[in-house]
Amino acid sequence: MDSMSEAFIAKVPERIWAGGRPARARQWEAEFNVASWVRVTGARGRVELRVCCLDEKGEQAVVVDCAEVQGEGSALLSGVVKLRLSDSVEQIQVTLGLSDPSMRYVVEELYMQRRGMALDPQDKLISNY
């Protein structure tokens, strides 16, 4: 990881990442659509949306998207991530990397959906509306 400070956003429920898992597979890959609106104030700099997976091999972190913010404003961070999962996944979470620790943020929306699955209202992890 780089020198960015990391802020926890949300734990991803098992129903999202384990849904569609191949039967009896000890290891498998899955792709997810991830999107978030983030409002940032306080400082200019870079923000990164990340998905982190913790299992017996340690932590893997995948950058979904990044943006430069000019001190105040909103950024839509979205993309597709591929995770290599095992049957020993302890948790998957979404984090935000901030290049300046004085940045303040509000996550207004956060979605995570397995690619190829129909969008479900439960795929919305955070909504401030």
Side-chain angles (χ1 to χ4, degrees), residues 9-10 12-13 16 32-37 49 51 64 76-79 81 94 107-114 119-129:
I9 296 178
V12 180
I16 291 177
F32 299 90
N33 297 314
V34 185
S36 183
W37 275 105
L49 186 65
V51 175
V64 177
L76 172 61
L77 302 170
S78 65
V81 296
V94 180
V107 176
E108 296 177 339
E109 299 266 352
L110 174 64
Y111 291 88
M112 185 164 173
Q113 169 201 23
R114 178 129 181 196
L119 186 62
D120 187 297
Q122 294 180 339
D123 294 335
K124 184 185 279 192
L125 303 178
I126 293 176
S127 176
N128 290 333
Y129 299 104

Side-chain angles (χ1 to χ4, degrees), residues 11-41:
K11 182 178 177 185
V12 180
E14 187 173 347
R15 65 175 156 41
I16 291 177
W17 56 263
R21 171 186 175 179
R24 296 182 302 280
R26 295 199 45 146
Q27 294 190 354
W28 73 101
E29 290 185 349
E31 290 186 334
F32 299 90
N33 297 314
V34 185
S36 183
W37 275 105
V38 181
R39 189 165 17 103
V40 180
T41 60

Side-chain angles (χ1 to χ4, degrees), residues 17-18 21 25-29 53-58 60 83-90 92:
W17 56 263
R21 171 186 175 179
R26 295 199 45 146
Q27 294 190 354
W28 73 101
E29 290 185 349
C53 176
L54 181 63
D55 64 14
E56 86 272 351
K57 294 178 287 188
Q60 64 171 308
L83 298 177
R84 287 182 177 83
L85 302 169
S86 71
D87 59 1
S88 66
V89 170
E90 290 179 36
I92 296 178

Side-chain angles (χ1 to χ4, degrees), residues 48-108:
E48 286 184 354
L49 186 65
R50 303 172 180 162
V51 175
C52 303
C53 176
L54 181 63
D55 64 14
E56 86 272 351
K57 294 178 287 188
E59 184 179 74
Q60 64 171 308
V62 180
V63 175
V64 177
D65 197 7
C66 59
E68 293 291 327
V69 292
Q70 301 305 314
E72 204 155 312
S74 292
L76 172 61
L77 302 170
S78 65
V80 175
V81 296
K82 181 185 280 190
L83 298 177
R84 287 182 177 83
L85 302 169
S86 71
D87 59 1
S88 66
V89 170
E90 290 179 36
Q91 74 172 359
I92 296 178
Q93 61 185 23
V94 180
T95 64
L96 194 64
L98 305 165
S99 65
D100 186 326
S102 66
M103 295 170 105
R104 300 290 167 250
Y105 66 92
V106 173
V107 176
E108 296 177 339

